[in-house]
Amino acid sequence: MITDLYSSLLSVSNRAVLKQELVSFADNLGFNHAVAFMTIRIAGTAKFRAMDVNNFSDAWKTSYRDEKLIANDPVIQHSNNSNLPLVWNRELYQKAGAADLWEHLKRYNFDSGIAISMRDHLGNGYKIGLARDRPLTSDPRELSRLVADAQLFGTFAQSAMNRIWNPDPEAEFAKLTARELECLRWTMEGKTAWDIGIIIGVCERTVNWHLGNASRKLVSDNKHAAVIKAIRIGLIS
């Protein structure tokens, strides 16, 4: 079941527990630094407010802020402009003309990491950053697994961040049909649209139609996000 690894995030309701889950996840993957960051659009304006949890040292946060390092950080620049995951290391900073910034990072035990960025239909942004004090694996398969794990964690963490920092009126969601709920339940079990079609006796295209309707009604960007939201508000279990 896809929820097994990160199901604890579905019940996170405060910053302290989110930080605990984040740091534990990072540690399990071999990362000693982690941050979860959300930018929330202020209704009726083009302005945002920012919220985050992290386990960065006070010395690093002070240095990063006082020296205004964010302006030249290629990882931040990428995350602000792309939803593609980013694996970063010394080479990335050198190519961006920011080798001095990487040397500064290194002094605070940052060597390499993974950055995950997401945005929702309201314009809110979500970031998960994982970093370590040594190089990442050179095995492409292992690196792909780390990125995939971080992306899946990010999807669940996005729900937790919204619940803590930007709760929405769940009761206003349109009622899902029995077929839409059935398709979501099988998706929760890790079944593909083709698998679900065989199970319930319809074509793959029909399954995708039901999942698309469910995602739209739950104001979710994709079927996996819809599953997470449906679990959170008690529609499926």
Side-chain angles (χ1 to χ4, degrees), residues 3 23 30 34 47 58 60 112 143 185 191 210:
T3 59
V23 172
K47 298 180 179 180
D58 290 339
W60 165 247
S112 58
L143 188 57
R185 289 191 187 95
K191 303 298 183 182
H210 286 309

Side-chain angles (χ1 to χ4, degrees), residues 11-43:
S11 59
V12 168
S13 59
N14 61 68
R15 292 170 60 107
V17 179
L18 176 59
K19 179 180 178 180
Q20 179 182 329
E21 292 289 338
L22 173 70
V23 172
S24 176
F25 169 76
D27 184 64
N28 286 336
L29 290 189
F31 293 90
N32 50 328
H33 307 289
V35 58
F37 186 89
M38 180 179 182
T39 52
I40 305 166
R41 182 183 292 276
I42 300 174

Side-chain angles (χ1 to χ4, degrees), residues 2-213:
I2 68 169
T3 59
D4 285 350
L5 292 175
Y6 311 117
S7 59
S8 56
L9 280 168
L10 296 171
S11 59
V12 168
S13 59
N14 61 68
R15 292 170 60 107
V17 179
L18 176 59
K19 179 180 178 180
Q20 179 182 329
E21 292 289 338
L22 173 70
V23 172
S24 176
F25 169 76
D27 184 64
N28 286 336
L29 290 189
F31 293 90
N32 50 328
H33 307 289
V35 58
F37 186 89
M38 180 179 182
T39 52
I40 305 166
R41 182 183 292 276
I42 300 174
T45 75
K47 298 180 179 180
F48 292 83
R49 58 188 176 93
M51 308 294 291
D52 75 284
V53 292
N54 63 73
N55 67 339
F56 300 157
S57 70
D58 290 339
W60 165 247
K61 287 186 283 189
T62 298
S63 174
Y64 197 79
R65 181 187 65 248
D66 291 352
E67 299 184 42
K68 298 180 172 60
L69 301 180
I70 191 172
N72 298 315
D73 194 328
V75 175
I76 299 299
Q77 293 169 5
H78 172 89
S79 297
N80 286 340
N81 294 287
S82 175
N83 285 343
L84 294 175
L86 177 69
V87 175
W88 61 267
N89 52 25
R90 181 177 185 176
E91 182 180 0
L92 174 76
Y93 280 83
Q94 288 177 326
K95 287 182 177 179
D100 289 348
L101 176 52
W102 185 87
E103 294 293 344
H104 189 78
L105 284 161
K106 189 67 174 177
R107 289 197 291 274
Y108 288 89
N109 296 317
F110 293 87
D111 181 279
S112 58
I114 297 171
I116 303 297
S117 300
M118 299 161 287
R119 290 173 180 80
D120 63 24
H121 67 292
L122 297 174
N124 300 320
Y126 311 83
K127 295 180 177 65
I128 298 294
L130 305 175
R132 63 199 298 179
D133 54 8
R134 60 193 186 281
L136 288 167
T137 176
S138 59
D139 183 342
R141 291 173 298 181
E142 178 66 13
L143 188 57
S144 294
R145 184 190 66 78
L146 288 174
V147 172
D149 285 346
Q151 286 182 296
L152 185 55
F153 178 87
T155 300
F156 280 79
Q158 177 181 347
S159 176
M161 284 187 269
N162 261 316
R163 189 162 55 254
I164 296 167
W165 293 320
N166 194 38
D168 53 359
E170 312 286 13
E172 294 182 4
F173 289 126
K175 184 177 180 180
L176 272 65
T177 67
R179 208 52 142 177
E180 289 162 358
L181 290 170
E182 185 176 22
C183 290
L184 286 176
R185 289 191 187 95
W186 284 116
T187 300
M188 179 181 69
E189 296 290 344
K191 303 298 183 182
T192 66
W194 184 86
D195 295 329
I196 298 170
I198 296 298
I199 293 169
I200 67 176
V202 300
C203 68
E204 181 179 4
R205 182 178 178 181
T206 299
V207 173
N208 284 326
W209 182 75
H210 286 309
L211 289 171
N213 283 340

